[in-house]
Amino acid sequence: MADFDIVALGEPLVELNQTHKGQLQYLQGFGGDTSNAVIAAARQGARCAYLTRVGNDAFGKQFLDLWNAEGVDTSGVQVDDDAHTGLYFVQHGPDGHAFSYLRRGSAASLMTPATLQGGLIERARFLHVSGISMAISTSACDTVFAAIERAHAAGAQVSLDSNLRLRLWPVDRARAVLRETMRAADLFLPSMDDMQHLTGNDDPERTLDWIRDGGAAGVVVLKLGKDGSIIDDGRTRTPVAALRVDAVDATGAGDCFAGSLLARRCQGDSWEDAVRYANAAAALSTLGYGAVDPLPRAEQVWERLKSLSEGA
């Protein structure tokens, strides 16, 4: 039996989130897509660990304190004396949230396959990675592929979130790398927004066809934001409705979805039940500012799902 349900790999980022549109007030928090996901999973009761590198600075120490407080194993986190912990700013406007990054040369971007240590991947049920994990540097991309190879060799499943950031790499390279990676993934979690950039269309059915035609063999869950999700298991396509809320900040909602879905799968849920739960968790995560603080805990999600069931 695996020691961990989920081991995630990627880059943590200190978050400075604008609390009021148009005003120069920022709330410090924590971000980084796979870090958000693994914390979300831990809050749903999953046994989690994180693989990354942080700077030997105040922010790096804060991250270590955060993961330890959340029950995320940090034995695979390396501290770099010469590189910094990355950070980003979130601003909010009429078109949603906009990101500005200070991550070039971050400790995490300097990861290499040789830095994968601790045997954590071999002790996991799922390895979770993302497009960002591969986009931050060539060596990080190599590290993700090495991690996937190790996961499959150990019998673990691989979860891939598309998380496309075109500021980090050209769309042609992103398309090529993500298509190669999704072929190796047991679970692919693309968003419709990401796939519009990669496929040039805005139709979910055609998008899922493109993914399958590209060689994806695992389960695909296409995230449609406020319109919910579609599960494609290679045989059938099942839509799952979103939970309607008055969102204030969607930062990290997709990461919450990923971590919550993996946690529920590890706890025995069917795909449809796990996605329904993840939809609810992701919606609840938009009710506060920041990527980590609003991530709901299991009791909050179950309470909301129960209230919906009773009101049906």
Side-chain angles (χ1 to χ4, degrees):
M1 185 174 180
D3 297 318
F4 297 103
D5 295 315
I6 302 151
V7 171
L9 167 67
E11 180 189 35
L13 293 165
V14 171
E15 175 187 84
L16 295 170
N17 200 310
Q18 187 179 40
T19 55
H20 299 284
K21 295 178 183 178
Q23 296 185 21
L24 300 180
Q25 297 178 357
Y26 292 84
L27 176 68
Q28 189 205 317
F30 301 95
D33 61 340
T34 54
S35 175
N36 300 337
V38 81
I39 291 171
R43 290 190 180 184
Q44 313 318 308
R47 301 165 301 160
C48 300
Y50 198 48
L51 285 166
T52 192
R53 305 177 81 249
V54 297
N56 187 11
D57 49 36
F59 291 143
K61 183 179 186 304
Q62 288 174 10
F63 264 115
L64 287 166
D65 290 344
L66 170 69
W67 294 318
N68 286 321
E70 296 288 348
V72 175
D73 185 282
T74 59
S75 60
V77 178
Q78 295 182 329
V79 178
D80 191 319
D81 289 332
D82 300 315
H84 65 279
T85 305
L87 64 90
Y88 71 102
F89 295 83
V90 186
Q91 294 177 310
H92 304 275
D95 298 324
H97 49 278
F99 298 89
S100 300
Y101 295 93
L102 293 174
R103 72 194 323 167
R104 186 181 299 274
S106 71
S109 73
L110 301 178
M111 71 174 76
T112 68
T115 64
L116 292 174
Q117 60 178 357
L120 295 178
I121 294 171
E122 289 77 7
R123 297 160 59 193
R125 296 175 66 181
F126 277 97
L127 168 70
H128 181 64
V129 297
S130 79
I132 295 176
S133 305
M134 295 181 288
I136 55 176
S137 69
T138 301
S139 66
C141 187
D142 293 343
T143 304
V144 170
F145 280 113
I148 290 172
E149 185 176 347
R150 285 174 55 171
H152 282 157
Q157 297 187 70
V158 173
S159 165
L160 168 67
D161 193 321
S162 60
N163 270 357
L164 179 67
R165 298 293 186 270
L166 292 179
R167 290 185 179 183
L168 293 176
W169 51 357
V171 66
D172 289 344
R173 174 171 167 77
R175 184 186 298 110
V177 172
L178 283 169
R179 290 197 83 163
E180 182 68 24
T181 315
M182 73 184 188
R183 296 185 188 111
D186 301 280
L187 171 62
F188 183 37
L189 300 170
S191 73
M192 195 63 222
D193 288 343
D194 288 353
M195 298 312 293
Q196 285 179 353
H197 291 290
L198 297 180
T199 68
N201 78 76
D202 59 1
D203 179 74
E205 291 294 327
R206 288 172 59 197
T207 296
L208 288 167
D209 290 342
W210 183 91
I211 292 169
R212 289 299 179 193
D213 291 344
V219 174
V220 179
V221 181
L222 180 61
K223 298 174 288 183
L224 306 176
K226 61 182 178 60
D227 294 321
S229 310
I230 301 175
I231 307 166
D232 182 333
D233 64 2
R235 298 179 299 277
T236 60
R237 292 175 179 174
T238 306
V240 182
L243 175 67
R244 299 290 180 175
V245 297
D246 294 323
V248 299
D249 180 13
T251 305
D255 308 328
C256 180
F257 179 93
S260 299
L261 171 58
L262 291 172
R264 291 311 310 168
R265 282 294 294 168
C266 288
Q267 292 169 43
D269 279 8
S270 67
W271 282 109
E272 189 169 350
D273 286 344
V275 170
R276 184 176 296 107
Y277 182 100
N279 278 346
L284 292 176
S285 76
T286 70
L287 299 180
Y289 286 100
V292 171
D293 283 350
L295 293 172
R297 298 189 182 275
E299 55 269 23
Q300 296 171 275
V301 183
W302 286 122
E303 182 179 355
R304 180 58 67 93
L305 289 173
K306 180 181 178 182
S307 67
L308 289 175
S309 176
E310 291 174 346

